Amino acid sequence: MSTLTQDELKALVGRAALQYIEPGQIVGVGTGSTVNKFIDALASVKDRIRGAVSSSEASTARLRALGIEVWDANEVERLSVYVDGADEIDPRGCMIKGGGAALTREKIVAALADRFVCIADESKWVETLGRFPLPVEVIPMAAQQIARRFAALGGQARLRLKDGAPWVTDNGQHILDVSGLRITEPLAFESMVNDWPGVVTVGVFAHQKANVCLLGTAQGVRTVEF
């Protein structure tokens, strides 16, 4: 039985991700509680990197508070590595992401990177995606018609709320969380939902899947390559 808490497992994989950081490079940085542990670890080697491209206002604030320069994605042609967490990851390296509402910017930064390193604790490992409600960033006027499309697939879409009002993303849009799905073909599913009018980003990461997953387990960090 593991004596490590989930928080300690997150710190473990956050530190382990430093092995993929190349000196003199700009690092792609994701969003969320596990990534916060990586950002804290990154501060220990900040003199060896040029800075970071961030996927959210929250990560940007944390990076800057630790003295790490943050670059705009438009200033960077490519990144050697992007480090981010996942709400679920399957044996192919496909993920569900967006629990922190940063999925659109996460895909943008991931698309710049040569390698996607996913950091997660073992509770995020699943055989089939869909147990975690799928986040979908939508343009508000399309929310109900998108919800009906998911209903036709057997999913139940709920508008994400904060303090009783619709959650507003860093991009000024809303989030639908869709439960009741089993996503057996993530690549095809992502492509299909991306084509629906009003969808900004679907939280299936199959086109930008992980190349490596550092999984925090009771036995330590398990490295899975895809």
Side-chain angles (χ1 to χ4, degrees):
M1 190 73 181
S2 174
T3 56
L4 295 177
T5 65
Q6 190 177 38
D7 200 54
E8 288 167 332
L9 289 173
K10 290 176 179 181
L12 202 64
V13 294
R15 290 192 299 272
L18 293 180
Q19 67 187 290
Y20 295 96
I21 306 307
E22 298 176 11
Q25 295 290 318
I26 298 171
V27 181
V29 176
T31 299
S33 58
T34 308
V35 173
N36 285 341
K37 302 295 187 184
F38 168 67
I39 293 173
D40 295 345
L42 193 63
S44 69
V45 298
K46 65 183 178 184
D47 295 336
R48 290 186 239 156
I49 62 171
R50 290 171 62 199
V53 173
S54 165
S55 68
S56 69
E57 302 296 338
S59 288
T60 294
R62 195 178 189 96
L63 287 159
R64 287 181 172 151
L66 291 168
I68 298 170
E69 183 177 357
V70 178
W71 296 63
D72 187 281
N74 288 309
E75 299 176 302
V76 177
E77 286 190 16
R78 60 170 285 277
L79 300 166
S80 60
V81 67
Y82 175 61
V83 179
D84 202 356
D87 298 304
E88 288 187 342
I89 182 164
D90 75 7
R92 291 174 281 188
C94 298
M95 296 165 285
I96 283 183
K97 295 175 46 55
L103 58 163
T104 298
R105 296 190 185 193
E106 288 170 349
K107 276 195 182 175
I108 291 167
V109 184
L112 283 169
D114 296 336
R115 175 185 275 173
F116 189 136
V117 177
C118 174
I119 52 176
D121 66 83
E122 60 187 341
S123 69
K124 307 299 170 61
W125 186 269
V126 298
E127 287 301 314
T128 304
L129 300 177
R131 184 178 62 197
F132 188 90
L134 173 69
V136 187
E137 185 165 355
V138 300
I139 293 170
M141 70 177 288
Q144 287 308 310
Q145 64 167 297
I146 292 167
R148 289 192 292 272
R149 284 182 182 254
F150 278 117
L153 299 176
Q156 299 86 46
R158 292 180 177 82
L159 188 65
R160 189 180 300 184
L161 303 176
K162 184 179 182 181
D163 301 325
W167 182 299
V168 179
T169 69
D170 287 348
N171 309 310
Q173 311 299 346
H174 292 174
I175 298 272
L176 292 175
D177 291 305
V178 188
S179 56
L181 298 172
R182 280 189 85 253
I183 304 169
T184 56
E185 298 295 336
L187 202 63
F189 184 91
E190 181 182 0
S191 296
M192 174 185 72
V193 178
N194 275 339
D195 282 344
W196 294 353
V199 169
V200 179
T201 306
V202 58
V204 173
F205 281 58
H207 289 281
Q208 265 95 40
K209 73 184 189 77
N211 302 107
V212 180
C213 180
L214 301 176
L215 208 61
T217 76
Q219 291 75 40
V221 178
R222 176 181 159 214
T223 301
V224 185
E225 298 191 357
F226 307 103

